[in-house]
Amino acid sequence: MLSGTLLPSYAAAAEGRPVVYLHGFASRTDIWRGAEVAAKEAGLDPILVGWEPGELRSARATATEVLLPAIEAGLAAHGHPPDASFDVVAHSMSGLLMRYLIEQANPELGDRVGALVMISTPHRGARTGVANWACGIWKDRGWRALGCELKPTADLVKSLGSTAPEGVATRYLSIGVESYEPFVPIPRWDGDGDGVALGHDKAVMTESAKLDGAPFAIWRAWGRRGDHFGVTCSAEVNAWARDFLVSGTIPQANPERIFGTNVCAGMPKKVWREARE
C-alpha cells in the first residue's frame, strides 16, 4: 500500500491529527516534501519543522532550547493549542533528540506524543565512520558538536541506551535501512547479537537503528530510496510510518531488495520551496 492511500477505517482517527516531521543532522525540511503531500491526502496535518544547533550547542541543549520550541511554534502556526497531542516522524539524529526529550528532559511530553517513528536513528551510534567526519571536519562548525554525539561512545548515545524504557506512554517504531552499496568498504555488523551481520545505509549501520523493546523493521530497496539520504522520499516507508501512527500497524520488513516508489517524484526542491514561501 503506497503512501497517500488511507483505509476507510483509519479516517476518523487520522482526521486533522498533527504529525511533526523532523530532519536529521545538517539537513532541512525539504526531505519531507513528498511525505507532506501524502500525509495531507491521508487526512493528517503534517508540520515540517526545521532546526539547527548553533555554534557549539550540545545535543541536549539543542533538544531543549531549539528543537522543542520549534515544534511548539510549528503546532501553534497550524492552529493547535499549547497542550495539543501530536505524533512525530524523525529522521536520523532527530530521533535521538526526541528520545532525550521524552525519556529524560521532559517526561510529560510523552503524554502528548502519541507515537514516534524513527528512521535510521543511530541508537547504538552511527558506527560507519561518518560521526568522526562530522565531528572533526564538517564545513558548518555549528553542527560539529552534534556530529561528535553520533559516535557509539558518545554520552548521549550511552545515556539513552539501545532499549526502550518502560513506563513511556509514547509508542515507538524504529526503521533501519540497508543500502545496496558494494563499493563502500565498511564491514557488516551484527548489532543485535543474533549471529547475522547486516550492512548500512551509507551513514548508519542498519542494526544501529534497532531499539530493543520496540517494533523494528528493515527497509531494503535499490537506488536512492534505499539509502540514508533518500529514504524520506520512499512512498513505502512513508506508508509504514503513517499506518503505524494511525492504526498501530507494525510494518513487515521486505526480505528481498525491491524497487521502491519515489513519493517526491515530479516535485523539484526549488519549486517546492518557492511554493511554501
Side-chain angles (χ1 to χ4, degrees), residues 13-27:
E15 190 63 34
R17 172 80 174 179
V19 180
V20 172
Y21 286 84
L22 301 175
H23 63 74
F25 178 89
S27 187

Side-chain angles (χ1 to χ4, degrees), residues 25-26 92-93 96 120-141 143-157 186 200-205 208 228-229:
F25 178 89
S92 194
M93 188 173 199
L96 293 178
S120 285
T121 292
H123 302 295
R124 304 159 196 254
R127 295 183 177 271
T128 58
V130 70
N132 293 329
W133 176 56
C135 176
I137 61 172
W138 188 256
K139 58 184 179 180
D140 185 342
R141 291 180 58 86
W143 287 94
R144 290 185 187 178
L146 265 64
C148 299
E149 298 195 57
L150 293 172
K151 297 179 180 181
T153 56
D155 181 64
L156 179 69
V157 170
I186 300 173
H200 57 87
D201 64 5
K202 299 182 183 176
V204 174
M205 298 304 297
S208 181
H228 189 83
F229 309 100

Side-chain angles (χ1 to χ4, degrees), residues 58-65 67-68 93-110 116 118 121 123 149 155-157 159-161 165 168 172:
S58 70
R60 289 180 174 83
T62 298
T64 57
E65 299 171 11
L67 187 61
L68 185 55
M93 188 173 199
S94 61
L96 293 178
L97 301 185
M98 282 304 304
R99 283 188 60 201
Y100 169 69
L101 287 172
I102 292 170
E103 296 173 19
Q104 298 182 9
N106 191 351
E108 295 82 6
L109 189 64
L116 170 60
M118 296 167 282
T121 292
H123 302 295
E149 298 195 57
D155 181 64
L156 179 69
V157 170
S159 174
L160 289 172
V168 173
Y172 286 170

Side-chain angles (χ1 to χ4, degrees), residues 27-197:
S27 187
R28 56 193 185 185
T29 57
D30 63 10
I31 66 169
W32 300 116
R33 61 193 183 279
E36 180 184 33
V37 174
K40 286 180 178 178
E41 292 174 351
L44 300 168
D45 180 17
I47 301 172
L48 278 55
V49 172
W51 61 276
E52 57 182 70
E55 191 76 12
L56 302 178
R57 187 181 267 116
S58 70
R60 289 180 174 83
T62 298
T64 57
E65 299 171 11
V66 176
L67 187 61
L68 185 55
I71 290 172
E72 299 290 13
L75 289 166
H78 279 237
H80 299 285
D83 60 349
S85 297
F86 59 99
D87 297 322
V88 177
V89 179
H91 182 238
S92 194
M93 188 173 199
S94 61
L96 293 178
L97 301 185
M98 282 304 304
R99 283 188 60 201
Y100 169 69
L101 287 172
I102 292 170
E103 296 173 19
Q104 298 182 9
N106 191 351
E108 295 82 6
L109 189 64
D111 295 327
R112 293 176 58 199
V113 181
L116 170 60
V117 177
M118 296 167 282
I119 302 171
S120 285
T121 292
H123 302 295
R124 304 159 196 254
R127 295 183 177 271
T128 58
V130 70
N132 293 329
W133 176 56
C135 176
I137 61 172
W138 188 256
K139 58 184 179 180
D140 185 342
R141 291 180 58 86
W143 287 94
R144 290 185 187 178
L146 265 64
C148 299
E149 298 195 57
L150 293 172
K151 297 179 180 181
T153 56
D155 181 64
L156 179 69
V157 170
K158 292 168 65 177
S159 174
L160 289 172
S162 57
T163 300
E166 297 181 358
V168 173
T170 304
R171 297 180 291 114
Y172 286 170
L173 168 66
S174 198
I175 297 172
V177 178
E178 187 174 36
S179 297
Y180 177 69
E181 191 62 25
F183 304 113
V184 177
I186 300 173
R188 297 167 74 85
W189 179 64
D190 178 12
D192 59 5
D194 67 353
V196 180

